[in-house]
Amino acid sequence: MVSLVTIKGPNAGQCFALNGDSLLIGRQEDVAIYLDSLAVSRQHARVERHGGEYFIEDVGSSNGTFLNGKRLVAPTLLTEKDVLQIGPYVLRLRPDPPPPPSSPPLPDQIIRAQISAAPSNLTLYNQNPAHKLQVVLDIARHLGRTLELESLLGRLLEHLLHLFPQADRGMALLCEGEHLKVKAQRSRHKGETQSDYPYSRTIVRRALEEGVGLLSEDVAGDANLELSATMISLKLRSFLCVPLVGFENRRLGVIQLDCLRAGHVFNADDLELLTALSIQVATVLENADLHAQRLREERLRQELLLARDIQQAFLPADFALFDNGDPELFARVHPARQVSGDLYDFFLRPDGRLAFFLGDVSGKGMPAALFMIAVRTLIRHLAPSASGPAELLRNLNRALTEDNPTALFVTLLHGIYDRRDGSLLLACGGHPPPLLRRGNGRVEPLALPPGMLIGSVPDLRIEDTELNLKRGETLIAYTDGLTEAFGPGHKEMFGRERLCEVLGGANRSLSLEACADAASAAVRDFSGQTELQDDQTLLLLRRM
């Protein structure tokens, strides 16, 4: 299998398996390779496989696709030596490493019996079923008193050492990804050290992969048995090793009991009993894991709610800045998740003019929210020394590019409004241009130089644009979560034209808060979803 690996930029080290003949790359959620960045178009590039070779082509992206520093103009062969850049992502083609060599096979002479550990194996209860059922119920009753994993496993091993007097020690190993980790161990001999007991990985892997309990009756006493160096070092006389198999055949780990004393061995009845117990233990472990997962989710939910409250506290909510209500101002952020990467801010400058901002951080969730707070803090710090919006955005960009290990960036619209004459200075850093609603309700986009993304490159060319806001006119700033919301089937976006229709016409007489409500409702009705696809933010400024 061949993969595209992110070697620089967001989520460095992330792998995208190229497991198809044609794979679309972009910011649209249903593409094969999803890159979460505003610098990446929704449908940006495509990887094609032909005869074992891979070709990359741009599919009409806004910012281009670059191979070895050159912008693609046609499908081009992609090799392991090439460097592919899409927005802030730098990627390289990489074949997956060959699988590690398998462990040497376990000599069949060691295993005297094996039995399926599947819950459907009714033969487990053929011999002495009443005793086995009583033991299973008794251990289940004791294990049910705790849901803390290590305490649960320790209690289990203590019961097993009591139930199997020939056992000298026991251990529980659980799966963590592709690895097994010792989670609990107990010894009958109190003076034995608590370092991890040795075990044969080959035995454990066989029990786990085949889903069978394994029994060796007399490892050391079999003259015909050629033991490996590992088996000799373990000094085993006899052992039981049974897998813990959960719901839908999910491998959870193994339980192993070892006998080290001469004359003490396990038998087939012991294997059946421990295997029957393992089925109940697997159920208890899954319940404990589910309980722990729910606790983690609830703790995370509470932390995110607190983070949302903290973030919202950074956004000003008092829109009555002026005694006579002129201008009228309103702004709102609707997060797609618990926290948002969108931001707005406004404050009065020392000269009495109103400074306002609206931005959209690349990405979503907590990383974007933390970056948003950093951007807002820098804005407040840099604003007093900036002569105008363009200079402030250039200074902000310089500060972000000098120290930005996250590789995140922000689109930003900044304006300064003078209420005395309605004059307005605007500058844009890669943000959608604002709209202007005339006094008659007609809404039109403003011709504003788009600029470049703030935090993407060290030096930006950003210019101020001057205009005059007449009485009854409204400046409308927004983030693309409104205009790029998809309808059912992801075939059509809400678009700027629909936003103009919702905010224009007869709605010009509504309060700005009512206008924001109408826009949110229209996008929600268009998408047919209650959950937002992206953060949605509006800032409205009306000269009375």
Side-chain angles (χ1 to χ4, degrees):
M1 181 66 68
V2 176
S3 301
L4 269 180
V5 180
T6 304
I7 60 174
K8 187 178 179 182
N11 302 321
Q14 183 177 10
C15 295
F16 302 96
L18 303 181
N19 52 6
D21 293 330
S22 180
L23 302 171
L24 193 61
I25 305 173
R27 188 163 52 91
Q28 188 170 302
E29 292 188 356
D30 58 350
V31 298
I33 300 175
Y34 174 71
L35 303 181
D36 189 4
S37 169
L38 292 175
V40 179
S41 297
R42 291 187 176 274
Q43 296 187 5
H44 196 109
R46 181 181 289 109
V47 177
E48 298 272 358
R49 181 173 61 188
H50 300 288
E53 294 183 321
Y54 292 87
F55 294 82
I56 181 73
E57 65 173 321
D58 189 89
V59 292
S61 68
S62 300
N63 296 321
T65 303
F66 296 84
L67 190 65
N68 302 322
K70 296 182 179 179
R71 186 164 184 162
L72 291 179
V73 296
T76 305
L77 179 66
L78 181 63
T79 70
E80 297 173 37
K81 299 179 180 180
D82 296 321
V83 175
L84 176 66
Q85 182 165 5
I86 298 176
Y89 291 83
V90 180
L91 308 110
R92 190 185 290 273
L93 197 68
R94 182 179 299 170
D96 287 348
S102 57
S103 302
L106 185 65
D108 285 336
Q109 302 100 309
I110 293 178
I111 305 303
R112 290 293 184 251
Q114 68 179 44
I115 189 168
S116 172
S120 57
N121 183 11
L122 300 180
T123 61
L124 291 173
Y125 298 93
N126 283 349
Q127 302 295 325
N128 201 358
H131 170 67
K132 290 177 181 176
L133 181 59
Q134 179 61 42
V135 171
V136 169
L137 292 176
D138 185 54
I139 286 189
R141 178 172 55 85
H142 284 90
L143 295 184
R145 295 175 180 175
T146 179
L147 288 172
E148 197 278 319
L149 185 62
E150 293 190 8
S151 174
L152 186 153
L153 292 173
R155 184 174 296 180
L156 167 67
L157 293 177
E158 290 168 2
H159 281 287
L160 293 181
L161 290 178
H162 177 75
L163 183 62
F164 297 94
Q166 65 272 58
D168 290 289
R169 66 189 182 199
M171 69 177 67
L173 300 95
L174 297 187
C175 297
E176 291 187 354
E178 296 297 322
H179 304 283
L180 278 165
K181 186 174 181 180
V182 176
K183 287 294 186 179
Q185 51 189 10
R186 291 291 187 274
S187 172
R188 187 176 300 280
H189 311 292
K190 300 302 181 183
E192 191 168 353
T193 62
Q194 287 299 304
S195 60
D196 288 352
Y197 302 144
Y199 64 93
S200 168
R201 286 174 171 79
T202 306
I203 291 173
V204 168
R205 285 291 177 187
R206 175 168 170 180
L208 196 62
E209 292 170 4
E210 297 181 12
V212 294
L214 302 175
L215 160 69
S216 170
E217 292 178 333
D218 190 3
V219 175
D222 192 337
N224 298 319
L225 180 61
E226 295 183 5
L227 296 179
S228 66
T230 301
M231 295 302 297
I232 293 173
S233 66
L234 295 181
K235 301 178 181 180
L236 294 180
R237 296 282 180 175
S238 180
F239 66 79
L240 295 173
C241 185
V242 299
L244 300 169
V245 182
F247 181 66
E248 294 185 341
N249 213 28
R250 186 166 72 98
R251 301 305 200 257
L252 306 178
V254 297
I255 297 292
Q256 180 163 319
L257 299 179
D258 296 335
C259 176
L260 308 178
R261 294 167 292 168
H264 292 76
V265 295
F266 298 109
N267 56 40
D269 286 343
D270 296 326
L271 176 62
E272 286 189 359
L273 178 57
L274 186 59
T275 304
L277 286 171
S278 73
I279 296 173
Q280 179 63 34
V281 171
T283 300
V284 173
L285 285 180
E286 287 192 311
N287 289 339
D289 183 61
L290 181 60
H291 175 72
Q293 180 180 339
R294 287 180 175 174
L295 288 179
R296 290 192 298 269
E297 290 174 351
E298 178 60 23
R299 185 163 55 248
L300 177 60
R301 190 183 72 85
Q302 294 295 334
E303 290 175 354
L304 288 174
L305 288 175
L306 178 60
R308 180 171 184 164
D309 291 341
I310 294 173
Q311 186 185 39
Q312 289 295 321
F314 277 93
L315 303 177
D318 183 8
F319 302 106
L321 296 179
F322 307 100
D323 294 338
N324 63 352
D326 185 14
E328 184 185 0
L329 178 66
F330 183 78
R332 174 189 289 159
V333 174
H334 279 306
R337 300 180 182 175
Q338 286 89 343
V339 290
S340 170
D342 283 5
L343 73 146
Y344 71 82
D345 196 10
F346 56 84
F347 51 85
L348 291 177
R349 293 168 54 92
D351 59 9
R353 292 186 296 170
L354 173 67
F356 60 89
F357 303 83
L358 186 101
D360 186 355
V361 174
S362 59
K364 298 183 182 69
M366 190 60 73
L370 293 174
F371 194 77
M372 180 273 266
I373 293 175
V375 169
R376 190 258 187 190
T377 303
L378 281 171
I379 286 173
R380 291 276 179 143
H381 174 70
L382 297 171
S385 60
S387 60
E391 182 180 350
L392 190 147
L393 294 188
R394 288 193 296 267
N395 293 342
L396 174 64
N397 177 75
R398 193 175 300 112
L400 288 177
T401 54
E402 286 176 356
D403 184 16
N404 184 12
T406 64
L408 294 174
F409 50 85
V410 61
T411 70
L412 204 62
L413 176 73
H414 174 27
I416 297 178
Y417 174 74
D418 192 335
R419 63 191 296 262
R420 294 171 297 182
D421 58 4
S423 61
L424 188 60
L425 278 177
L426 291 172
C428 186
H431 198 81
L435 307 173
L436 180 62
R437 184 173 66 191
R438 302 292 186 181
N440 61 6
R442 183 166 57 90
V443 181
E444 57 194 43
L446 287 174
L448 199 66
M452 293 187 67
L453 307 170
I454 306 296
S456 59
V457 295
D459 297 314
L460 294 184
R461 292 180 58 86
I462 298 178
E463 301 175 357
D464 287 329
T465 298
E466 298 183 28
L467 60 103
N468 187 267
L469 201 61
K470 298 178 182 178
R471 296 196 179 278
E473 291 185 339
T474 305
L475 181 76
I476 302 168
Y478 62 93
T479 58
D480 61 8
L482 289 160
T483 55
E484 295 186 3
F486 276 97
H490 282 251
K491 296 180 180 179
E492 187 180 7
M493 291 190 295
F494 186 75
R496 190 175 63 187
E497 291 76 13
R498 287 189 177 90
L499 184 61
C500 291
E501 290 176 6
V502 172
L503 296 176
N507 283 346
R508 70 185 184 278
S509 61
L510 297 176
S511 69
L512 297 187
E513 183 175 1
C515 288
D517 291 339
S520 298
V523 174
R524 183 174 61 249
D525 293 343
F526 174 80
S527 66
Q529 300 176 4
T530 56
E531 294 185 1
L532 302 185
Q533 301 166 18
D534 197 359
D535 301 329
Q536 298 177 2
T537 303
L538 266 178
L539 185 146
L540 305 158
L541 175 68
R542 174 161 57 190
R543 185 181 183 192
M544 303 303 290

